[in-house]
Amino acid sequence: MKDVGIDAVEFRSGKLKLDLPGTFAEVKDEDPAKYTKGLGLHASSFPDAYEDIVTMAANASKRLMDRKGLEPDDIGRIDVATESAFDHSKPVSTYVAGCLEQVYDGDFRHANKGERKFACIAGTQSVDDAVNWIAADKNRGRAAIVISTDTALYERGDSGEATQGAGAVAMLIDEDPDLVTIEPEQGIGSVDETDFLKPNQQFPSVDGKRSMQVYLMRMREALEDYETQVETHPDDFAFIPFHTPFPGMVRKAAPLGYRHVARGTEVEDELAEEIGRQPRPEAFDDDEAYREALKEYTDKLTETERYQEWYSRAIEPTLDISSRVGNWYTSSVHLARLSALKHARENGIDLDHERLLVGSYGSGAQAEIHGETVQPGWEDEIAQLNVDDQLVERYDLSWEEYEQIHDVHNHEESVDVDPLTAPEKEFVFDGWGRMGERKYTYVE
């Protein structure tokens, strides 16, 4: 079977920044630690008045193509994953292709274009689709571009408002990739749920407590399904990128995953000397007593040196970018992967042929677990990204400016706000067409 995976990746943040422990916490009259320590967030990215899901996707894709020396004829597929689409018929990928055709010779006339929707997991599903397309030899030597792009806005005053964010990740999917190969085995956990949804509305309806429970249940089911095909061990994976709506959620999920994969291994045996063995259901008269014992064990587990070393090595590095940009919905797990690889390069960690365990999730609800193998070209690929430059250059919003920009991107509002930044060498939103469609142009 041919090796297929992510050959290259690009990152595009919204150009505005909202300081959470500073500006947001001050206006809300709340302790900044609620955001930095509780949610694990320091800032959110927002799009300027001329930015949206199309411009962020197109700008990430253009940089990806330029960097890899690609022309439209090299691309046989463009897939966009988003839960922020503004058209219920025409896919965002067609808008992106239209943008790119403004700046390249040739066109994407013979490239398949589509849009995936399943909350935050759609980005991973789109990667799966592209990998399968190439593995099935339908690509005729061409690569695929997969883009996850979202503006994750909540209604003003909603409990999720602090987790907002906006940006895009563009990935080149190809044979013999430079970044990671996608392993064929995958585990799925999927059940019809109403934890987070948008029934004919822009802003989500969220049952926060239920959503956390559903996230953990579907992840467990996906891991159990994955383990029917692949043996797992806590030390098998260099990094474990999780779906990260906010880092605090990953902090809650990580010990449950570690406990699960450590069960029945020498890790459990060694930990037993310190905190006892993991509870087994057959030792209890009822489910409630068993679950209480599991909780007590898990609390003890997180205090052990072994767990904390594992968390610092395999999980913490995946959270850095998300802590600085907020929730990007479909890009969430792809930011986690990028954050881990960036950390490894900056700290001289050799990842050649090391493995990642990727845990993706979308409300509604479905989780996917799969493995990836890091390829020898990963370091050169990551070195060409400008993540830190983009984040440092963001315009720092005042509270009044935040309120205005939120209205700009609220589909129910009609406001005319001057941009806070000046576009340069990028695609921008440029008004409305004759049928109510959004129009775009490239600014030199």
Side-chain angles (χ1 to χ4, degrees):
M1 184 176 179
K2 64 180 69 176
D3 289 333
V4 184
I6 304 173
D7 185 60
V9 63
E10 268 301 337
F11 167 101
R12 183 72 178 201
S13 173
K15 295 171 78 172
L16 310 179
K17 167 192 169 185
L18 179 65
D19 184 290
L20 291 172
T23 304
F24 195 89
E26 181 178 352
V27 171
K28 298 290 185 179
D29 194 25
E30 292 177 326
D31 184 349
K34 174 182 177 180
Y35 305 102
T36 57
K37 294 183 179 180
L39 296 177
L41 294 171
H42 294 269
S44 296
S45 287
F46 288 90
D48 206 338
Y50 55 83
E51 294 185 289
D52 64 12
I53 58 173
V54 172
T55 66
M56 294 184 295
N59 288 319
S61 298
K62 181 181 183 299
R63 192 170 195 274
L64 182 73
M65 291 183 64
D66 287 349
R67 195 159 56 72
K68 301 298 285 188
L70 298 172
E71 295 293 333
D73 284 348
D74 299 314
I75 305 300
R77 185 181 184 109
I78 302 175
D79 289 308
V80 169
T82 185
E83 55 180 287
S84 307
F86 45 77
D87 192 309
H88 295 303
S89 177
K90 180 177 161 67
V92 171
S93 56
T94 59
Y95 286 93
V96 173
C99 287
L100 296 173
E101 287 172 351
Q102 296 179 36
V103 296
Y104 291 105
D105 293 331
D107 55 48
F108 297 94
R109 189 177 305 272
H110 300 298
N112 187 37
K113 306 176 188 78
E115 183 175 306
R116 263 280 195 171
K117 181 180 75 175
F118 197 147
C120 301
I121 199 174
T124 298
Q125 291 179 323
S126 295
V127 170
D128 292 341
D129 290 343
V131 167
N132 293 337
W133 173 71
I134 294 173
D137 287 324
K138 294 184 176 182
N139 61 318
R140 291 179 280 162
R142 299 173 297 172
I145 292 179
V146 170
I147 312 154
S148 51
T149 181
D150 275 296
T151 296
L153 289 188
Y154 286 77
E155 194 167 11
R156 299 293 309 284
D158 188 278
S159 60
E161 188 179 6
T163 68
Q164 295 171 132
V169 173
M171 294 167 278
L172 185 69
I173 311 301
D174 206 353
E175 298 180 46
D176 301 319
D178 286 339
L179 204 60
V180 297
T181 56
I182 309 294
E183 298 173 8
E185 299 84 7
Q186 63 178 204
I188 300 293
S190 184
V191 174
D192 179 18
E193 296 280 2
T194 54
D195 57 317
F196 177 112
L197 65 162
K198 300 178 182 178
N200 294 317
Q201 62 195 50
Q202 178 187 3
F203 300 131
S205 296
V206 186
D207 182 339
K209 183 177 181 180
R210 178 63 182 165
S211 189
M212 175 74 80
Q213 294 170 339
V214 170
Y215 171 80
L216 297 175
M217 288 188 291
R218 301 294 84 80
M219 282 290 197
R220 185 194 70 240
E221 293 163 356
L223 182 58
E224 290 171 345
D225 190 35
Y226 180 73
E227 288 178 327
T228 65
Q229 307 156 73
V230 180
E231 291 186 4
T232 60
H233 185 282
D235 299 330
D236 284 348
F237 304 97
F239 295 106
I240 304 180
F242 276 94
H243 166 61
T244 312
F246 56 91
M249 182 176 277
V250 175
R251 284 201 301 266
K252 292 180 182 295
L256 306 185
Y258 186 88
R259 186 190 72 200
H260 181 93
V261 297
R263 180 173 290 202
T265 71
E266 82 284 356
V267 175
E268 182 188 9
D269 295 337
E270 293 168 9
L271 287 170
E273 300 177 8
E274 183 177 352
I275 60 174
R277 301 189 66 80
Q278 293 190 33
R280 265 56 171 184
E282 58 271 17
F284 296 86
D285 294 332
D286 58 72
D287 188 60
E288 184 177 349
Y290 169 60
R291 292 187 179 281
E292 182 59 33
L294 266 184
K295 182 181 182 304
E296 292 178 5
Y297 177 88
T298 305
D299 290 343
K300 293 178 183 177
L301 174 65
T302 60
E303 298 299 320
T304 65
E305 184 176 349
R306 177 148 193 167
Y307 173 82
Q308 291 175 357
E309 288 178 350
W310 171 83
Y311 183 88
S312 296
R313 173 186 64 80
I315 305 295
E316 189 69 36
T318 71
L319 307 178
D320 175 63
I321 296 176
S322 291
S323 74
R324 295 189 279 162
V325 302
N327 188 0
W328 284 15
Y329 285 163
T330 53
S331 294
S332 168
V333 74
H334 307 295
L335 290 179
R337 179 199 295 108
L338 176 56
S339 187
L341 297 176
K342 180 174 175 290
H343 167 86
R345 177 184 173 273
E346 292 170 350
N347 289 274
I349 300 172
D350 182 7
L351 286 184
D352 288 6
H353 307 296
E354 293 288 341
R355 298 176 68 213
L356 312 178
L357 186 66
V358 178
S360 189
Y361 171 79
S363 292
Q366 182 162 302
E368 177 186 319
I369 301 284
H370 70 255
E372 299 177 358
T373 303
V374 183
Q375 299 304 298
W378 73 274
E379 195 167 2
D380 289 340
E381 171 58 32
I382 295 300
Q384 298 178 69
L385 301 181
N386 64 346
V387 173
D388 290 332
D389 289 342
Q390 287 190 49
L391 298 187
V392 168
E393 291 168 3
R394 288 176 297 176
Y395 177 92
D396 204 350
L397 291 165
S398 68
W399 183 255
E400 292 74 21
E401 290 168 335
Y402 161 67
E403 291 182 309
Q404 292 175 342
I405 209 68
H406 191 283
D407 285 345
V408 167
H409 297 289
N410 180 349
H411 299 168
E412 296 182 358
E413 298 285 344
S414 179
V415 296
D416 186 15
V417 174
D418 290 335
L420 296 165
T421 62
E424 182 179 2
K425 296 186 182 302
E426 62 187 295
F427 296 102
V428 299
F429 168 62
D430 192 30
W432 304 92
R434 66 183 180 85
M435 295 179 66
E437 75 275 21
R438 297 174 73 87
K439 305 291 288 184
Y440 300 91
T441 192
Y442 188 75
V443 175
E444 290 288 352

